[in-house]
Coordinates of all heavy atoms in Angstrom, one line a residue:
M1 N -18.3 65.0 108.8 CA -18.1 64.8 110.1 C -19.1 65.8 111.0 O -19.0 67.1 110.5 CB -16.8 64.8 110.8 CG -16.7 64.5 112.2 SD -14.9 64.4 112.6 CE -15.1 64.6 114.4
V2 N -19.8 65.4 111.9 CA -20.7 66.3 112.5 C -19.9 66.9 113.8 O -19.4 66.3 114.5 CB -21.9 65.6 113.2 CG1 -22.8 66.5 114.0 CG2 -22.7 64.9 112.1
E3 N -20.0 68.2 113.8 CA -19.2 68.9 114.9 C -20.0 69.0 116.1 O -21.3 69.2 116.1 CB -18.9 70.3 114.4 CG -17.9 70.5 113.4 CD -17.2 71.7 113.1 OE1 -17.3 72.5 114.0 OE2 -16.8 72.0 112.0
A4 N -19.5 68.9 117.2 CA -20.1 68.9 118.6 C -20.5 70.4 118.9 O -19.8 71.3 118.7 CB -19.3 68.3 119.6
V5 N -21.5 70.5 119.7 CA -21.9 71.8 120.3 C -20.8 72.2 121.4 O -20.4 71.3 122.2 CB -23.2 71.7 120.9 CG1 -23.6 73.0 121.6 CG2 -24.2 71.4 119.7
P6 N -20.3 73.3 121.4 CA -19.4 73.6 122.5 C -19.9 73.5 123.9 O -21.0 73.7 124.2 CB -18.9 75.1 122.2 CG -19.3 75.2 120.7 CD -20.4 74.4 120.5
L7 N -19.0 73.0 124.8 CA -19.5 72.9 126.2 C -20.1 74.2 126.9 O -21.0 74.0 127.5 CB -18.3 72.3 127.1 CG -18.6 72.0 128.5 CD1 -19.6 70.9 128.7 CD2 -17.3 71.7 129.2
P8 N -19.4 75.3 126.7 CA -20.1 76.5 127.2 C -21.6 76.8 126.8 O -22.5 77.2 127.6 CB -19.3 77.6 126.8 CG -17.9 77.1 126.6 CD -18.2 75.7 126.0
W9 N -21.9 76.4 125.6 CA -23.3 76.6 125.1 C -24.3 75.6 125.8 O -25.3 76.0 126.3 CB -23.4 76.4 123.6 CG -22.6 77.4 122.7 CD1 -21.9 78.4 123.2 CD2 -22.7 77.4 121.3 NE1 -21.4 79.1 122.0 CE2 -21.8 78.5 121.0 CE3 -23.2 76.7 120.3 CZ2 -21.7 79.0 119.6 CZ3 -23.1 77.1 119.1 CH2 -22.3 78.2 118.7
V10 N -23.7 74.4 126.0 CA -24.5 73.5 126.6 C -24.8 73.8 128.1 O -26.0 73.7 128.7 CB -24.0 72.0 126.6 CG1 -24.8 71.0 127.4 CG2 -23.9 71.5 125.1
L11 N -23.8 74.4 128.8 CA -23.9 74.9 130.1 C -24.9 76.1 130.3 O -25.4 76.2 131.3 CB -22.5 75.2 130.7 CG -21.5 74.0 130.9 CD1 -20.2 74.4 131.4 CD2 -22.1 72.9 131.6
V12 N -24.8 76.9 129.4 CA -25.6 78.1 129.4 C -27.1 77.5 129.2 O -28.0 78.1 129.9 CB -25.3 79.1 128.1 CG1 -26.5 80.1 128.0 CG2 -24.1 79.7 128.5
V13 N -27.4 76.6 128.3 CA -28.8 76.1 128.2 C -29.2 75.4 129.4 O -30.3 75.7 130.0 CB -28.8 75.2 127.1 CG1 -30.2 74.3 127.0 CG2 -28.6 75.9 125.8
A14 N -28.3 74.5 130.1 CA -28.6 73.8 131.4 C -28.8 75.1 132.5 O -29.8 74.8 133.3 CB -27.5 73.0 131.8
A15 N -28.1 76.1 132.6 CA -28.3 77.1 133.5 C -29.6 77.8 133.4 O -30.3 78.1 134.4 CB -27.0 78.1 133.6
G16 N -29.9 78.1 132.1 CA -31.2 78.7 131.9 C -32.4 77.8 132.3 O -33.4 78.3 132.8
L17 N -32.2 76.5 131.9 CA -33.3 75.5 132.3 C -33.4 75.5 133.8 O -34.5 75.4 134.4 CB -32.9 74.2 131.7 CG -34.0 73.1 131.8 CD1 -35.1 73.5 131.0 CD2 -33.5 71.6 131.3
F18 N -32.3 75.5 134.5 CA -32.3 75.4 135.9 C -32.9 76.6 136.5 O -33.9 76.5 137.5 CB -30.9 75.2 136.5 CG -30.9 74.8 137.9 CD1 -31.0 73.7 138.4 CD2 -30.8 76.0 139.0 CE1 -31.0 73.3 139.8 CE2 -30.8 75.8 140.3 CZ -30.8 74.5 140.7
C19 N -32.6 77.8 136.1 CA -33.2 79.1 136.5 C -34.7 79.2 136.3 O -35.4 79.6 137.1 CB -32.6 80.3 135.8 SG -30.8 80.6 136.4
I20 N -35.2 78.6 135.1 CA -36.6 78.5 134.9 C -37.3 77.6 135.8 O -38.3 78.0 136.3 CB -36.8 78.0 133.4 CG1 -36.4 79.2 132.4 CG2 -38.3 77.7 133.1 CD1 -36.4 78.7 131.0
G21 N -36.6 76.5 136.0 CA -37.3 75.5 137.1 C -37.2 76.1 138.5 O -38.2 76.0 139.2
L22 N -36.1 76.9 138.9 CA -36.1 77.4 140.1 C -37.1 78.6 140.3 O -37.9 78.6 141.2 CB -34.7 78.0 140.4 CG -34.5 78.7 141.8 CD1 -34.5 77.6 142.8 CD2 -33.1 79.3 141.8
F23 N -37.3 79.3 139.3 CA -38.4 80.4 139.4 C -39.7 79.8 139.4 O -40.5 80.3 140.2 CB -38.1 81.2 138.2 CG -39.2 82.4 138.1 CD1 -39.2 83.5 138.9 CD2 -40.4 82.2 137.2 CE1 -40.2 84.4 138.9 CE2 -41.4 83.2 137.2 CZ -41.2 84.3 138.0
G24 N -40.0 78.8 138.6 CA -41.3 78.1 138.6 C -41.5 77.4 139.8 O -42.7 77.4 140.5
S25 N -40.7 76.9 140.6 CA -40.8 76.1 141.9 C -41.0 77.2 143.0 O -41.7 77.0 144.0 CB -39.8 75.2 142.2 OG -38.7 75.8 142.4
L26 N -40.3 78.2 143.0 CA -40.4 79.4 144.0 C -41.7 80.2 143.9 O -42.2 80.9 144.8 CB -39.2 80.1 144.1 CG -37.9 79.3 144.7 CD1 -36.7 80.3 144.6 CD2 -38.2 78.7 146.0
S27 N -42.1 80.5 142.7 CA -43.1 81.5 142.4 C -44.6 80.9 142.4 O -45.5 81.6 142.4 CB -42.9 82.3 141.2 OG -43.1 81.3 140.0
R28 N -44.6 79.6 142.2 CA -45.9 78.9 142.1 C -46.6 78.7 143.5 O -46.0 78.4 144.5 CB -45.8 77.6 141.5 CG -45.3 77.7 140.0 CD -46.4 78.1 139.1 NE -45.7 78.3 137.8 CZ -46.3 78.7 136.8 NH1 -47.5 79.2 137.0 NH2 -45.7 79.0 135.6
R29 N -47.9 78.8 143.6 CA -48.7 78.4 144.8 C -49.3 76.9 144.6 O -49.6 76.3 145.5 CB -49.8 79.3 145.0 CG -49.3 80.7 145.6 CD -50.4 81.6 145.9 NE -49.9 82.8 146.4 CZ -50.6 83.8 146.8 NH1 -51.9 83.7 146.8 NH2 -50.0 84.9 147.3
N30 N -49.4 76.7 143.3 CA -50.0 75.3 143.0 C -48.9 74.3 143.1 O -47.7 74.4 142.6 CB -50.5 75.3 141.5 CG -51.3 74.1 141.1 OD1 -51.1 73.0 141.7 ND2 -52.2 74.3 140.1
T31 N -49.2 73.1 143.9 CA -48.2 72.2 144.1 C -47.7 71.4 143.0 O -46.6 70.9 142.8 CB -48.6 71.2 145.3 OG1 -50.0 70.7 144.8 CG2 -48.7 71.9 146.6
V32 N -48.6 71.2 142.0 CA -48.3 70.6 140.6 C -47.2 71.5 139.9 O -46.2 71.0 139.4 CB -49.6 70.4 139.8 CG1 -49.0 69.7 138.5 CG2 -50.5 69.4 140.5
G33 N -47.4 72.8 139.9 CA -46.4 73.6 139.2 C -45.1 73.6 140.0 O -44.0 73.7 139.3
I34 N -45.0 73.4 141.4 CA -43.9 73.4 142.1 C -43.2 72.1 141.7 O -41.9 72.0 141.4 CB -44.2 73.3 143.6 CG1 -44.7 74.7 144.1 CG2 -43.0 73.1 144.4 CD1 -45.2 74.9 145.4
L35 N -43.9 70.9 141.6 CA -43.3 69.6 141.1 C -42.7 69.9 139.8 O -41.7 69.3 139.4 CB -44.2 68.6 141.3 CG -44.4 67.9 142.5 CD1 -45.6 66.9 142.5 CD2 -43.2 67.3 143.0
L36 N -43.3 70.4 138.9 CA -42.8 70.7 137.5 C -41.5 71.6 137.5 O -40.6 71.2 136.8 CB -43.9 71.4 136.6 CG -45.1 70.5 136.2 CD1 -46.1 71.4 135.5 CD2 -44.7 69.4 135.4
G37 N -41.5 72.5 138.4 CA -40.1 73.3 138.6 C -39.1 72.4 139.0 O -38.0 72.5 138.6
V38 N -39.4 71.6 140.0 CA -38.3 70.6 140.6 C -37.9 69.7 139.4 O -36.6 69.4 139.3 CB -38.8 69.8 141.7 CG1 -37.9 68.8 142.1 CG2 -39.1 70.8 142.9
E39 N -38.8 69.2 138.6 CA -38.4 68.4 137.5 C -37.5 69.0 136.6 O -36.5 68.4 136.0 CB -39.8 67.7 136.8 CG -40.5 66.9 137.7 CD -39.8 65.5 138.0 OE1 -39.1 65.0 137.0 OE2 -40.0 64.9 139.1
L40 N -37.9 70.3 136.1 CA -37.1 71.1 135.2 C -35.7 71.2 135.8 O -34.5 71.1 135.1 CB -37.6 72.4 135.1 CG -38.6 72.5 133.9 CD1 -39.3 74.0 133.9 CD2 -38.3 72.1 132.6
M41 N -35.5 71.4 137.1 CA -34.1 71.5 137.7 C -33.3 70.2 137.7 O -32.1 70.2 137.5 CB -34.2 72.0 139.2 CG -34.7 73.5 139.2 SD -34.7 74.2 140.9 CE -36.0 73.3 141.7
L42 N -34.0 69.1 137.8 CA -33.4 67.8 137.7 C -33.0 67.6 136.2 O -32.0 66.9 136.1 CB -34.2 66.7 138.3 CG -34.5 66.7 139.8 CD1 -35.5 65.7 140.1 CD2 -33.2 66.2 140.4
N43 N -33.8 68.0 135.3 CA -33.4 67.8 134.0 C -32.2 68.7 133.6 O -31.3 68.2 132.8 CB -34.6 68.0 133.0 CG -35.6 66.9 133.1 OD1 -35.1 65.8 133.3 ND2 -36.8 67.3 132.8
A44 N -32.1 69.8 134.2 CA -30.8 70.6 133.9 C -29.7 70.0 134.5 O -28.5 70.0 134.0 CB -31.1 72.0 134.6
V45 N -29.8 69.3 135.7 CA -28.5 68.7 136.2 C -28.2 67.6 135.3 O -27.1 67.2 135.1 CB -29.0 68.2 137.7 CG1 -28.0 67.2 138.2 CG2 -29.1 69.4 138.6
N46 N -29.2 66.7 134.9 CA -28.9 65.6 133.9 C -28.1 66.1 132.6 O -27.3 65.6 132.2 CB -30.2 65.0 133.4 CG -30.6 63.8 134.4 OD1 -29.8 63.3 135.2 ND2 -31.9 63.6 134.4
L47 N -28.5 67.3 132.2 CA -27.8 67.9 131.0 C -26.4 68.4 131.3 O -25.5 68.0 130.5 CB -28.7 69.2 130.7 CG -28.3 69.8 129.2 CD1 -28.3 68.7 128.1 CD2 -29.1 71.0 128.9
N48 N -26.3 68.7 132.5 CA -24.8 69.0 132.9 C -24.0 67.8 133.1 O -22.9 67.6 132.6 CB -24.9 69.8 134.1 CG -25.0 71.3 134.1 OD1 -24.7 71.8 133.0 ND2 -25.5 71.9 135.1
L49 N -24.5 66.8 133.6 CA -23.8 65.6 133.8 C -23.4 64.9 132.5 O -22.4 64.5 132.3 CB -24.6 64.5 134.7 CG -24.8 64.8 136.1 CD1 -25.8 63.8 136.7 CD2 -23.4 64.5 136.7
I50 N -24.4 64.8 131.5 CA -24.2 64.3 130.2 C -23.2 65.2 129.4 O -22.2 64.6 128.8 CB -25.5 64.2 129.4 CG1 -26.4 63.1 130.1 CG2 -25.2 63.7 128.0 CD1 -25.8 61.7 130.2
A51 N -23.2 66.5 129.6 CA -22.2 67.3 128.9 C -20.8 67.1 129.4 O -19.9 67.1 128.6 CB -22.7 68.8 129.0
F52 N -20.7 67.1 130.7 CA -19.3 67.0 131.2 C -18.8 65.5 130.9 O -17.6 65.5 130.7 CB -19.5 67.2 132.8 CG -19.3 68.8 133.1 CD1 -20.4 69.4 133.7 CD2 -18.2 69.6 132.6 CE1 -20.3 70.7 134.1 CE2 -18.2 70.9 133.0 CZ -19.2 71.4 133.7
W53 N -19.7 64.6 130.9 CA -19.2 63.1 130.6 C -18.8 63.2 129.2 O -17.7 62.7 128.9 CB -20.4 62.2 130.8 CG -20.3 60.8 130.1 CD1 -19.2 59.9 130.4 CD2 -20.6 60.5 128.7 NE1 -19.5 59.0 129.5 CE2 -20.1 59.3 128.5 CE3 -21.6 61.1 127.9 CZ2 -20.4 58.5 127.3 CZ3 -22.0 60.5 126.7 CH2 -21.5 59.2 126.5
R54 N -19.5 63.8 128.3 CA -19.2 63.7 126.9 C -17.9 64.5 126.7 O -17.0 64.2 125.8 CB -20.3 64.3 126.0 CG -20.1 64.6 124.5 CD -19.9 63.4 124.0 NE -19.7 63.6 122.4 CZ -18.6 63.6 121.9 NH1 -17.5 63.5 122.5 NH2 -18.5 63.9 120.5
Y55 N -17.7 65.5 127.2 CA -16.5 66.5 127.0 C -15.2 66.2 127.8 O -14.2 66.6 127.4 CB -16.8 68.0 127.1 CG -17.7 68.6 126.0 CD1 -19.0 68.7 126.2 CD2 -17.2 68.8 124.8 CE1 -19.8 69.0 125.1 CE2 -17.9 69.3 123.8 CZ -19.3 69.4 124.0 OH -20.1 69.9 122.9
L56 N -15.4 65.6 128.9 CA -14.2 65.4 129.8 C -13.9 63.8 129.7 O -12.5 63.6 129.4 CB -14.5 65.6 131.2 CG -14.8 67.1 131.4 CD1 -15.1 67.3 132.9 CD2 -13.6 68.0 131.1
E57 N -14.7 62.8 129.7 CA -14.3 61.4 129.9 C -15.4 60.7 129.0 O -16.1 59.9 129.6 CB -14.3 60.9 131.3 CG -13.0 61.3 132.1 CD -11.7 60.8 131.6 OE1 -11.7 59.7 130.9 OE2 -10.6 61.6 131.7
P58 N -15.4 60.7 127.8 CA -16.3 59.8 127.2 C -16.1 58.4 127.1 O -16.9 57.7 126.7 CB -16.1 60.4 125.5 CG -14.8 61.1 125.6 CD -14.5 61.5 126.9
N59 N -14.9 57.9 127.6 CA -14.6 56.5 127.6 C -15.3 55.8 128.8 O -15.6 54.6 128.7 CB -13.1 56.2 127.6 CG -12.5 56.8 126.4 OD1 -13.0 56.9 125.3 ND2 -11.2 56.9 126.5
L60 N -15.5 56.6 129.9 CA -16.1 56.1 131.2 C -17.7 56.3 130.9 O -18.1 57.1 130.3 CB -15.5 56.8 132.3 CG -14.0 56.6 132.5 CD1 -13.7 57.5 133.7 CD2 -13.6 55.2 132.6
V61 N -18.5 55.4 131.7 CA -19.8 55.6 131.8 C -20.3 56.2 133.0 O -21.6 56.1 133.3 CB -20.4 54.1 131.5 CG1 -20.1 53.7 130.2 CG2 -20.1 53.3 132.6
A62 N -19.5 56.8 133.9 CA -19.9 57.4 135.1 C -21.0 58.6 134.8 O -22.0 58.6 135.7 CB -18.8 58.0 135.8
G63 N -20.9 59.4 133.9 CA -21.8 60.4 133.7 C -23.3 59.9 133.3 O -24.2 60.3 133.9
Q64 N -23.2 58.9 132.5 CA -24.5 58.1 132.1 C -25.1 57.4 133.2 O -26.3 57.4 133.4 CB -24.3 57.2 131.0 CG -23.9 57.9 129.6 CD -23.5 56.8 128.7 OE1 -23.1 55.6 128.8 NE2 -23.6 57.2 127.4
V65 N -24.4 56.9 134.1 CA -24.9 56.2 135.3 C -25.5 57.1 136.3 O -26.7 56.9 136.8 CB -23.8 55.3 135.9 CG1 -24.3 54.7 137.4 CG2 -23.4 54.1 135.1
F66 N -24.9 58.2 136.5 CA -25.4 59.3 137.4 C -26.7 59.9 136.8 O -27.7 60.2 137.5 CB -24.5 60.4 137.7 CG -23.4 60.0 138.7 CD1 -22.0 60.2 138.4 CD2 -23.7 59.4 139.9 CE1 -21.0 59.9 139.4 CE2 -22.7 59.1 140.8 CZ -21.4 59.3 140.5
A67 N -26.7 60.1 135.5 CA -28.0 60.7 134.9 C -29.1 59.7 134.9 O -30.3 60.1 135.3 CB -27.6 61.1 133.4
L68 N -28.8 58.4 134.7 CA -29.7 57.4 134.8 C -30.4 57.3 136.3 O -31.5 57.1 136.5 CB -29.3 56.0 134.5 CG -30.3 54.8 134.3 CD1 -31.4 55.2 133.4 CD2 -29.6 53.6 134.0
F69 N -29.5 57.4 137.3 CA -29.8 57.4 138.7 C -30.8 58.7 138.9 O -31.8 58.5 139.6 CB -28.6 57.5 139.7 CG -28.9 57.6 141.0 CD1 -29.5 56.4 141.6 CD2 -28.8 58.7 141.8 CE1 -29.7 56.3 143.1 CE2 -29.0 58.6 143.2 CZ -29.5 57.5 143.7
I70 N -30.4 59.8 138.5 CA -31.3 61.0 138.6 C -32.6 60.9 137.9 O -33.6 61.4 138.5 CB -30.5 62.3 138.2 CG1 -29.4 62.5 139.1 CG2 -31.4 63.5 138.3 CD1 -28.5 63.8 138.8
I71 N -32.7 60.2 136.8 CA -34.0 59.9 136.1 C -34.8 59.0 136.9 O -36.0 59.3 137.1 CB -33.7 59.4 134.7 CG1 -33.0 60.4 133.8 CG2 -35.0 59.0 134.1 CD1 -32.6 60.1 132.4
T72 N -34.3 58.1 137.5 CA -35.0 57.2 138.5 C -35.5 57.8 139.8 O -36.7 57.8 140.1 CB -34.0 56.0 138.8 OG1 -33.4 55.3 137.7 CG2 -34.8 54.9 139.6
V73 N -34.5 58.7 140.3 CA -35.1 59.3 141.5 C -36.1 60.4 141.1 O -37.1 60.5 141.9 CB -33.9 60.2 142.1 CG1 -34.3 61.2 143.2 CG2 -32.9 59.1 142.7
A74 N -36.0 61.1 139.9 CA -37.0 62.1 139.5 C -38.4 61.4 139.3 O -39.5 61.9 139.5 CB -36.6 62.6 138.2
A75 N -38.4 60.1 138.7 CA -39.5 59.4 138.5 C -40.2 59.0 139.8 O -41.5 59.1 140.0 CB -39.3 58.2 137.6
A76 N -39.4 58.6 140.8 CA -40.0 58.3 142.0 C -40.6 59.4 142.8 O -41.6 59.4 143.4 CB -39.0 57.5 142.9
E77 N -39.8 60.5 142.6 CA -40.1 61.9 143.2 C -41.6 62.3 142.7 O -42.5 62.8 143.4 CB -39.2 63.0 143.0 CG -39.6 64.3 143.5 CD -40.0 65.2 142.4 OE1 -39.5 64.9 141.3 OE2 -40.8 66.2 142.6
A78 N -41.7 62.1 141.3 CA -43.0 62.6 140.7 C -44.1 61.7 141.2 O -45.4 62.1 141.4 CB -42.8 62.5 139.2
A79 N -43.8 60.5 141.2 CA -44.8 59.3 141.5 C -45.4 59.7 143.1 O -46.5 59.8 143.4 CB -44.5 58.0 141.4
V80 N -44.3 59.8 144.0 CA -44.8 60.1 145.5 C -45.4 61.5 145.6 O -46.5 61.7 146.3 CB -43.5 60.0 146.3 CG1 -43.9 60.3 147.7 CG2 -43.1 58.6 146.2
G81 N -44.8 62.5 144.9 CA -45.3 63.8 144.9 C -46.9 63.9 144.4 O -47.6 64.5 145.0
L82 N -47.1 63.2 143.2 CA -48.4 63.4 142.8 C -49.4 62.5 143.7 O -50.6 62.9 143.9 CB -48.5 62.8 141.3 CG -47.7 63.8 140.2 CD1 -47.9 63.1 138.9 CD2 -48.6 65.0 140.2
A83 N -48.9 61.3 144.3 CA -49.8 60.8 145.1 C -50.1 61.5 146.3 O -51.3 61.5 146.8 CB -49.1 59.4 145.6
M84 N -49.1 62.2 146.8 CA -49.4 63.1 148.0 C -50.4 64.2 147.7 O -51.2 64.6 148.5 CB -48.2 63.7 148.5 CG -47.2 62.7 149.2 SD -45.6 63.3 149.7 CE -46.0 64.7 150.6
I85 N -50.2 64.8 146.4 CA -51.1 65.9 146.0 C -52.6 65.4 145.8 O -53.6 66.1 146.2 CB -50.7 66.5 144.7 CG1 -49.3 67.4 144.9 CG2 -51.7 67.5 144.0 CD1 -48.6 67.7 143.8
I86 N -52.8 64.2 145.3 CA -54.0 63.5 145.1 C -54.7 63.4 146.5 O -55.9 63.6 146.8 CB -54.0 62.4 144.3 CG1 -53.8 62.6 143.0 CG2 -55.4 61.5 144.5 CD1 -53.5 61.4 142.1
A87 N -54.0 62.8 147.5 CA -54.4 62.7 148.9 C -54.6 64.0 149.5 O -55.7 64.0 150.3 CB -53.4 62.0 149.7
I88 N -54.0 65.0 149.3 CA -54.4 66.3 149.9 C -55.5 66.9 149.3 O -56.4 67.4 150.0 CB -53.1 67.2 149.8 CG1 -51.9 66.9 150.7 CG2 -53.4 68.7 150.1 CD1 -50.7 67.5 150.5
Y89 N -55.6 66.7 148.1 CA -56.8 67.2 147.3 C -58.1 66.6 147.7 O -59.3 67.3 147.9 CB -56.6 67.1 145.8 CG -57.8 67.6 145.1 CD1 -58.0 68.9 144.9 CD2 -58.9 66.8 144.5 CE1 -59.2 69.6 144.2 CE2 -59.9 67.4 143.9 CZ -60.0 68.6 143.7 OH -61.2 69.2 143.2
R90 N -58.0 65.2 148.0 CA -59.3 64.5 148.4 C -59.7 65.0 149.9 O -60.8 64.8 150.1 CB -59.0 63.1 148.4 CG -58.9 62.4 147.1 CD -58.7 61.0 147.0 NE -58.8 60.5 145.8 CZ -58.3 59.2 145.4 NH1 -57.9 58.4 146.4 NH2 -58.4 58.8 144.1
S91 N -58.7 65.4 150.7 CA -59.0 65.6 152.1 C -59.3 67.1 152.2 O -60.2 67.5 153.1 CB -57.9 65.3 153.0 OG -56.8 66.1 152.9
R92 N -58.7 68.0 151.5 CA -58.9 69.5 151.6 C -59.6 70.2 150.5 O -59.9 71.3 150.5 CB -57.7 70.1 151.9 CG -56.8 69.5 153.1 CD -56.2 70.5 153.9 NE -55.6 69.9 155.0 CZ -54.6 70.5 155.6 NH1 -54.1 71.6 155.4 NH2 -54.1 69.9 156.7
L93 N -59.6 69.4 149.3 CA -60.3 70.1 148.0 C -59.5 71.2 147.6 O -60.1 72.2 147.0 CB -61.8 70.4 148.3 CG -62.7 69.2 148.6 CD1 -64.1 69.7 148.8 CD2 -62.6 68.2 147.5
T94 N -58.0 71.3 147.7 CA -57.3 72.3 147.1 C -56.0 71.7 146.9 O -55.5 70.8 147.6 CB -57.3 73.5 148.1 OG1 -56.5 74.6 147.3 CG2 -56.6 73.1 149.4
V95 N -55.2 72.2 145.9 CA -53.7 72.0 145.7 C -52.9 73.1 146.0 O -51.8 73.3 145.6 CB -53.5 71.3 144.4 CG1 -54.3 70.1 144.3 CG2 -54.0 72.3 143.2
N96 N -53.5 74.2 146.6 CA -52.8 75.4 146.9 C -51.8 75.2 148.1 O -52.2 74.7 149.1 CB -53.7 76.6 147.2 CG -53.1 77.9 147.2 OD1 -51.9 78.0 147.0 ND2 -53.9 78.9 147.3
A97 N -50.5 75.5 147.7 CA -49.5 75.2 148.9 C -49.6 76.1 150.1 O -49.4 75.6 151.0 CB -48.1 75.2 148.3
D98 N -50.2 77.3 149.9 CA -50.4 78.2 151.0 C -51.5 77.7 151.9 O -51.5 77.9 153.2 CB -50.8 79.5 150.5 CG -49.5 80.2 149.9 OD1 -48.4 79.8 150.1 OD2 -49.8 81.2 149.1
E99 N -52.5 77.0 151.4 CA -53.6 76.5 152.3 C -53.3 75.1 152.9 O -54.1 74.6 153.7 CB -54.8 76.4 151.4 CG -55.3 77.7 150.9 CD -56.5 77.6 150.0 OE1 -57.1 76.6 149.8 OE2 -56.8 78.6 149.2
V100 N -52.2 74.6 152.5 CA -51.9 73.1 153.0 C -50.7 73.4 153.8 O -49.5 73.0 153.4 CB -51.5 72.2 151.9 CG1 -51.4 70.7 152.5 CG2 -52.8 72.2 151.0
D101 N -50.8 74.1 155.0 CA -49.6 74.2 155.8 C -49.5 73.5 157.2 O -48.6 73.7 157.9 CB -49.5 75.8 156.1 CG -50.6 76.3 156.9 OD1 -51.5 75.7 156.9 OD2 -50.5 77.6 157.1
T102 N -50.5 72.8 157.5 CA -50.6 72.1 158.7 C -50.8 70.6 158.4 O -51.3 70.3 157.3 CB -51.7 72.5 159.7 OG1 -53.0 72.3 158.9 CG2 -51.7 74.0 160.1
L103 N -50.3 69.8 159.3 CA -50.4 68.4 159.0 C -51.8 67.7 159.6 O -52.2 66.8 158.9 CB -49.4 67.7 160.0 CG -47.9 67.9 159.5 CD1 -46.9 67.1 160.4 CD2 -47.7 67.4 158.1
K104 N -52.5 68.5 160.4 CA -53.8 68.0 160.7 C -54.8 68.5 159.7 O -54.9 69.6 159.2 CB -54.3 68.4 162.1 CG -53.4 67.7 163.2 CD -54.0 68.1 164.6 CE -53.5 67.2 165.6 NZ -54.0 67.4 167.0
G105 N -55.8 67.8 159.5 CA -56.8 68.1 158.6 C -58.0 68.5 159.3 O -59.0 68.9 159.2

């Protein structure tokens, strides 16, 4: 029989992944790097949802449904974010977040 990984270990990995994503999104000037940091944070939340679902209520599917919902939201966020980055790059020729601080071009 395969033994499961203890819940605290999974939570430590998820916390580490969230901290890496938070650092990446706060320290980057490039908007693509910021989006990647946000995606890492969303994946850490998914890992927490699946871990708590597995260890607390494996008979219910609520954890899986929430994780699937977050994956859908992350895909939509990535699509819209990248479309906005492409539009900004076409008009300003930069993806630096510091240089894109006004709405008027």
Side-chain angles (χ1 to χ4, degrees):
M1 181 172 161
V2 178
E3 292 193 26
V5 178
L7 181 62
W9 291 8
V10 177
L11 296 180
V12 165
V13 169
L17 190 63
F18 189 86
C19 289
I20 291 170
L22 184 65
F23 177 76
S25 64
L26 292 178
S27 67
R28 302 278 180 189
R29 291 186 180 177
N30 190 339
T31 51
V32 176
I34 294 170
L35 279 177
L36 286 174
V38 171
E39 292 293 327
L40 278 176
M41 290 189 288
L42 288 172
N43 285 331
V45 170
N46 275 339
L47 188 58
N48 276 334
L49 285 172
I50 295 299
F52 280 117
W53 162 77
R54 173 68 177 93
Y55 286 100
L56 297 178
E57 287 293 331
N59 298 336
L60 302 177
V61 294
Q64 291 175 337
V65 170
F66 283 129
L68 187 61
F69 180 72
I70 289 178
I71 290 170
T72 306
V73 169
E77 174 258 335
V80 171
L82 287 176
M84 289 173 56
I85 290 170
I86 290 171
I88 290 170
Y89 180 76
R90 286 182 180 170
S91 67
R92 303 218 178 158
L93 298 177
T94 184
V95 291
N96 192 349
D98 292 339
E99 297 174 14
V100 185
D101 59 351
T102 60
L103 293 177
K104 286 188 171 183

